[in-house]
Amino acid sequence: MSDDAIPIVLVHGIRTSASMWRFQSEALRSDGYEVQTVDLPGHGARMGEPFTVDGAVGAIDDRIAAFDRPVLLVGLSLGGYYAIEYASRHPERVAGLVAAGCSTVPYGPPLEVYRSLARGIRRLPDHGMWLHTAFVRRLLPPQGAIDVLAGGVALDVMDAGLRATSTLNPLAGLSAYDGPVWLVNGQFDHFRADERRFLAACRDGRLVIVPGATHLASLVRPMPFTDALRRAAAELSARRSVSIARRAK
């Protein structure tokens, strides 16, 4: 990989794992980018670990530590909220931020309804595995469903994950981070409710809508979503190239 190509770190959504990023990982690596994916606590290879804010931020930091330069940090849904939190805490390690499917404040009555529903599903005999799998296969393209389910289903993390996330303030996090931000949302994403507030909170923000996509835009419309990541990575890589050239003079 050339010195000016930006490394990329991808953070998954709730109940999923790093396997949900297979399409993007393969495409971006074929473009010459170095890519790392994260399993958050309680998910994927870290199934069974307690989910906490600091644990999630630490999991992201473990992956970013693999690089000797700032990265393009990408998070979707749950991962988007923690990508924002990480960037606000460690702006020097994040050259740019893609926050996808997380443009609504993660607290208040809607979240409490979601938590109550999650607790009810958890009481089903299989903890909701059949229901979750059926919805995944119905709502996602076949390959997207395979990729989501490949890393396991983190059914036990829902309430703890939502409770921890309700303590975050992503609007303040975006205001604290001074790098470029891409808010990437599916056209029909129900997590778009506050996207104008999120955009206004960014110091250097831009809004990208993925046509025809729902909440899990990276899986429903993988190619246009990946193209959005490519554009962000190309912009950051060009900035790095200019910076390297200036230092060499």
Side-chain angles (χ1 to χ4, degrees), residues 21 24 74 76 100 184 210 217-218 221-229:
W21 293 114
Q24 286 73 33
V74 180
L76 186 143
V184 180
V210 181
S218 64
R221 298 293 310 280
M223 185 56 75
F225 185 93
T226 304
D227 286 343
L229 301 190

Side-chain angles (χ1 to χ4, degrees), residues 16 39 60-61 69 71-72 76 80 110 144 148 157 200:
T16 65
D39 272 334
I60 296 171
D61 195 53
R69 54 195 180 278
V71 306
L72 170 61
L76 186 143
V148 161
V157 79

Side-chain angles (χ1 to χ4, degrees), residues 28-231:
L28 293 167
R29 285 174 180 144
S30 71
D31 291 343
Y33 295 101
E34 193 169 352
V35 179
Q36 290 278 346
T37 55
V38 176
D39 272 334
L40 294 172
H43 298 78
R46 304 181 66 169
M47 200 89 74
E49 291 185 22
F51 190 100
T52 65
V53 171
D54 288 343
V57 170
I60 296 171
D61 195 53
D62 288 345
R63 283 291 181 261
I64 291 181
F67 303 108
D68 61 359
R69 54 195 180 278
V71 306
L72 170 61
L73 181 58
V74 180
L76 186 143
S77 194
L78 180 77
Y81 290 115
Y82 286 92
I84 293 171
E85 181 67 15
Y86 184 90
S88 71
R89 294 188 187 191
H90 304 290
E92 75 285 355
R93 301 177 195 173
V94 180
L97 172 66
V98 173
C102 60
S103 292
T104 191
V105 293
Y107 40 78
L111 181 76
E112 293 309 311
V113 170
Y114 194 15
R115 285 184 62 191
S116 296
L117 179 61
R119 287 192 292 267
I121 292 172
R122 180 73 178 78
R123 288 193 288 268
L124 293 174
D126 64 350
H127 295 177
M129 178 64 79
W130 181 89
L131 185 63
H132 174 83
T133 303
F135 270 103
V136 165
R137 290 176 173 161
R138 180 174 181 82
L139 297 176
L140 297 179
Q143 189 58 53
I146 290 169
D147 291 346
V148 161
L149 297 172
V153 182
L155 294 173
D156 295 335
V157 79
M158 282 293 293
D159 192 46
L162 294 173
R163 182 174 64 251
T165 305
S166 71
T167 69
L168 301 180
N169 188 335
L171 294 173
L174 290 171
S175 297
Y177 176 63
D178 62 0
V181 177
W182 289 262
L183 301 176
V184 180
N185 293 324
Q187 180 182 2
F188 304 114
D189 188 355
H190 54 290
F191 274 69
R192 288 182 62 187
D194 299 310
E195 68 181 19
R196 291 296 166 185
R197 293 175 65 195
F198 275 60
L199 185 61
C202 299
R203 298 195 200 180
D204 179 13
R206 61 295 313 263
L207 177 64
V208 180
I209 302 300
V210 181
T214 50
H215 180 53
L216 299 178
S218 64
L219 295 155
V220 175
R221 298 293 310 280
M223 185 56 75
F225 185 93
T226 304
D227 286 343
L229 301 190
R230 283 177 165 135
R231 290 191 294 271

